Amino acid sequence: MLTDVGGTGEPIVLLHGLMGSGRTWGRQVPWLRAFGQVYVVDAEGHRGARESRAVPTTDDFVDDLVDVLGDVGPATVIGHSMGGLHGWCLAARRPDLVRALVVEDMAPDFRGLTSAGWAASIEAWPQPFPDADAVRSWFGDVAGRYFLDSFERRDDGWWLHGDVATFRAIADEWGRRDFWSEWTSVRAPVLLIEAGHSVTPSGQMARMHALQPLSTHVVVAGAGHLVHDDRPEDYRRIVTDFLRAR
């Protein structure tokens, strides 16, 4: 689902990470409006999007992006984690739709890894969380904001906004398939933002930069996976410099 969140000029499309939502970009949208017309996408299987296919794949997500970007025209695509992967796969398939690309803390190759332990930990969450303070207490301030932006609020408290099996299926594909060929096919200017405490395999984002002549690679020291919320001033400065240099 594509939502217009304001601004004027060339389109900027924001893609959230796994278990997120378009609302996780809320603290960045105000300053991004100075650079263009801003849109957020809610990915399939997440709150606000259409009912998920049984086993959504990266190719399915890219199909959706081709559909929605066809409505807004060539865009600067900014993606966090899963959204970064979808952004570069879109740029590889349809270079006419992507003017420039920002990839935040995502790599092409997680093969051999499994989401089993991660999925089990999600299923052990004490749902429903009775209030926002309980969410922040469980996840910490940064991740807590991310989930408060995404969770479904019901009469009895805060609930995960999608099916664990769907989220696991999305992540498990990354453990079976790499996306190097898609990455090396990108021809748009790219900004790679790597967290100092990255979830990506060591050295992969540096290798992405080495393989992509139109890329810039920045490591944000001390930042966690949610760089845009963990180090918002650094994130804004880095992305602003990239957008102004285009």
Side-chain angles (χ1 to χ4, degrees):
M1 184 176 72
L2 183 74
T3 303
D4 183 341
V5 290
T8 57
E10 293 183 1
I12 298 172
V13 176
L14 307 180
L15 309 179
H16 64 78
L18 184 61
M19 297 174 58
S21 77
R23 290 173 56 189
T24 59
W25 291 109
R27 287 163 289 281
Q28 286 69 48
V29 166
W31 59 265
L32 281 168
R33 290 188 185 117
F35 294 94
Q37 186 79 30
V38 184
Y39 300 84
V40 297
V41 174
D42 284 284
E44 178 182 348
H46 298 68
R47 185 187 68 179
R50 71 187 185 195
E51 183 177 347
S52 178
R53 285 165 274 231
V55 184
T57 68
T58 300
D59 291 333
D60 293 331
F61 289 118
V62 175
D63 288 343
D64 292 341
L65 291 175
V66 169
D67 288 343
V68 300
L69 263 72
D71 294 333
V72 303
T76 294
V77 177
I78 299 177
H80 168 247
S81 194
M82 177 187 78
L85 169 64
H86 296 168
W88 87 62
C89 289
L90 172 67
R93 187 194 299 182
R94 290 290 305 273
D96 57 308
L97 293 179
V98 181
R99 297 177 184 273
L101 179 64
V102 177
V103 176
E104 178 186 351
D105 213 48
M106 188 59 175
D109 193 351
F110 291 87
R111 285 177 298 171
L113 300 180
T114 174
S115 66
W118 165 76
S121 70
I122 297 171
E123 290 169 340
W125 288 354
Q127 296 188 77
F129 293 91
D131 52 35
D133 287 342
V135 175
R136 285 188 289 264
S137 177
W138 184 265
F139 296 105
D141 287 338
V142 175
R145 286 195 299 269
Y146 183 84
F147 286 121
L148 285 170
D149 287 339
S150 305
F151 279 1
E152 180 181 354
R153 188 174 185 178
R154 305 178 191 169
D155 291 342
D156 59 348
W158 297 81
W159 291 84
L160 183 64
H161 56 298
D163 184 67
V164 176
T166 299
F167 295 143
R168 180 175 180 179
I170 293 167
D172 278 346
E173 182 194 20
W174 307 339
R176 299 188 303 269
R177 171 187 175 187
D178 76 86
F179 298 89
W180 284 113
S181 63
E182 290 83 358
W183 172 250
T184 56
S185 298
V186 173
R187 293 296 176 264
V190 184
L191 171 62
L192 294 167
I193 301 176
E194 183 175 357
H197 302 294
S198 179
V199 303
T200 64
S202 179
Q204 279 202 28
M205 294 196 76
R207 183 184 174 201
M208 292 170 72
H209 173 51
L211 291 171
Q212 178 51 267
L214 294 177
S215 70
T216 301
H217 178 212
V218 179
V219 179
V220 182
H225 181 54
L226 290 159
V227 180
H228 59 278
D229 269 341
D230 195 11
R231 295 290 188 275
E233 293 182 0
D234 290 335
Y235 180 87
R236 178 175 180 172
R237 172 181 52 79
I238 293 163
V239 173
T240 293
D241 288 347
F242 175 72
L243 295 177
R244 285 176 174 164
R246 286 184 48 230

